[in-house]
Amino acid sequence: MTRIRWRPEAGRLVTVMAVCFGVTVVITRLYLMAAGYPKIGGSTYRIAHALFGGLLLVIACLMLLLTSSRSSLTTAAALAGVGLGLFIDEVGKFITADNNYFFPLAAPIIYLAFLLITAVALFAARHRHRPPLLVLGEVTVAIGQLTGDRMSADERTTLLTELKSVDRTGFSPDLCKLTDALTSYLNTAHPDTRPEPQIRREARLEWLERHLLPLPLLRIVLIIVLLGHAVWTLVHLVLAVVIISGRHMPWTELDHLLDVSQHRGWKSLSGLGIAAVAEILVGVGCAVGAVLWLRGREELGVRLGIWSSVISLTVVNVMASYFSQFLTVFTALAEALLLWLLIRYRTRAGVGAVADRNDLLAART
């Protein structure tokens, strides 16, 4: 069986696809709702936007088969994400006999598909052991893609480091000559030493992050948000218990607002029950994580906050999307931002700039 060879940029490419997929679904649904769900066609034909999604997927596949540059790979990943978003947005029509676009189960399916692609992106981005032959092949492909393009100093340094780390034990004479030839080419190549736009943007973003959101301030904000998230989750849990128990409010309008199940039967109540159990874990995790963080056990507190956010994103929101797809979108965006900030804090506090660590130590003392 042939071993899978991962692209060096697999994680970035799948991430681009996942982001374009999620943004496309959100924009499409919001646009259709604002425009009153217009239709393309007449009395005989109706052109669904899933067809445009399929067309973009075909174009993305053709780009991957016909071209090899890095820019074309990124473009193909973006087109694939947009195409998949347009296609899966109409999944409700594909799983119902009456072509029901608004079928409640469609939103959880879309959300799960997005989570699956995101999980693939995270898995592809992991650092894994690569055999020497695979490293040599990746460097060869990278140099081939850079042929005719400007090579930055960082790119040349990275490729040279990869080649120097290759263990030639077991290499045939031809492979050894190839390794030497690639090393010689990189040593004699004249890289473009001007700062690339991406490098400049990253430097500006790091400067803004360090000055506008220093670690002591970010620490306080995250602790407050975790406590607020725990309280908000508790409110959701109380409402779910009220709905599942069959109790009613004295005001008809408020009772209709709180009954998110809209009397859909035991299936919706079962979904609320699963969401309630998950919300217990989320609320307790956020509250305990914030308290431990305040008591000086920072690593455990941040870890509990991260796992609580993951449970909320992967379990609670899947169930909630069955009842309110648009509210769940904005909730998921807020929780994804919280998760990203927690991960950024852990990264910066562990291996961040010296100035950030000094600020954090000063704040603690």
Side-chain angles (χ1 to χ4, degrees):
M1 181 177 179
T2 305
R3 185 173 181 176
I4 297 177
R5 294 189 175 186
W6 297 89
R7 288 185 181 273
E9 297 180 318
R12 182 183 66 84
L13 293 173
V14 182
T15 300
V16 170
M17 177 182 174
V19 171
C20 292
F21 166 43
V23 171
T24 299
V25 172
V26 173
I27 292 178
T28 301
R29 295 238 160 185
L30 290 177
Y31 167 76
L32 291 178
M33 182 180 65
Y37 298 95
K39 297 181 180 179
I40 301 177
S43 58
T44 304
Y45 300 102
R46 181 187 177 279
I47 302 176
H49 52 267
L51 296 177
F52 296 100
L55 176 61
L56 290 178
L57 288 172
V58 171
I59 295 175
C61 291
L62 288 175
M63 291 186 66
L64 293 176
L65 294 174
L66 297 175
T67 62
S68 61
S69 65
R70 292 185 304 167
S71 59
S72 64
L73 290 177
T74 303
T75 304
L79 290 177
V82 175
L84 180 59
L86 291 174
F87 175 80
I88 204 171
D89 181 65
E90 296 199 292
V91 67
K93 296 181 179 180
F94 306 147
I95 62 176
T96 54
D98 56 348
N99 295 329
N100 186 3
Y101 175 79
F102 305 98
F103 190 61
L105 190 58
I109 292 175
I110 296 173
Y111 192 83
L112 285 172
F114 174 74
L115 290 180
L116 179 61
I117 296 176
T118 303
V120 172
L122 294 175
F123 178 78
R126 289 194 318 172
H127 295 286
R128 53 178 58 85
H129 173 70
R130 296 178 298 165
L133 188 60
L134 179 58
V135 175
L136 178 61
E138 291 176 352
V139 173
T140 305
V141 171
I143 293 177
Q145 291 177 343
L146 288 170
T147 301
D149 295 335
R150 294 184 305 174
M151 180 187 299
S152 68
D154 289 338
E155 288 173 336
R156 187 181 73 164
T157 302
T158 301
L159 293 175
L160 280 172
T161 303
E162 292 279 355
L163 283 177
K164 291 178 181 178
S165 65
V166 171
D167 182 8
R168 302 190 184 190
T169 305
F171 272 18
S172 64
D174 292 338
L175 291 178
C176 291
K177 291 181 181 179
L178 175 61
T179 306
D180 293 334
L182 293 175
T183 303
S184 177
Y185 169 76
L186 290 174
N187 284 325
T188 56
H190 298 285
D192 183 3
T193 56
R194 292 176 297 172
E196 294 183 354
Q198 181 180 357
I199 297 176
R200 291 198 298 265
R201 286 195 300 267
E202 291 177 355
R204 292 194 192 102
L205 290 175
E206 290 178 0
W207 184 89
L208 288 173
E209 183 183 38
R210 187 167 59 253
H211 287 79
L212 298 180
L213 203 59
L215 284 179
L217 176 60
L218 182 58
R219 175 178 180 269
I220 295 173
V221 170
L222 288 176
I223 291 175
I224 294 175
V225 171
L226 286 177
L227 290 174
H229 195 2
V231 173
W232 180 251
T233 302
L234 178 62
V235 173
H236 273 218
L237 179 61
V238 172
L239 293 178
V241 172
V242 170
I243 295 171
I244 293 174
S245 64
R247 296 180 179 274
H248 297 279
M249 297 295 177
W251 302 279
T252 305
E253 293 80 5
L254 182 59
D255 183 68
H256 179 75
L257 178 64
L258 295 179
D259 188 9
V260 294
S261 66
Q262 298 296 314
H263 309 291
R264 290 175 182 165
W266 66 271
K267 293 182 180 180
S268 62
L269 293 180
S270 300
L272 281 176
I274 296 174
V277 173
E279 285 182 331
I280 293 176
L281 298 176
V282 173
V284 172
C286 289
V288 174
V291 172
L292 289 175
W293 202 344
L294 285 171
R295 296 180 64 122
R297 303 184 64 181
E298 181 180 90
E299 181 181 355
L300 182 57
V302 174
R303 188 181 304 169
L304 283 174
I306 290 175
W307 279 108
S308 298
S309 299
V310 170
I311 293 174
S312 184
L313 283 168
T314 57
V315 180
V316 176
N317 288 336
V318 171
M319 299 299 171
S321 63
Y322 181 85
F323 305 106
S324 179
Q325 54 179 312
F326 292 110
L327 179 61
T328 303
V329 166
F330 296 110
T331 302
L333 289 175
E335 291 175 345
L337 177 61
L338 172 61
L339 177 60
W340 179 78
L341 288 175
L342 286 168
I343 294 174
R344 282 297 302 162
Y345 180 89
R346 185 175 64 177
T347 301
R348 292 174 60 192
V351 295
V354 175
D356 280 341
R357 288 200 291 267
N358 291 339
D359 291 342
L360 183 60
L361 292 174
R364 288 179 177 175
T365 55

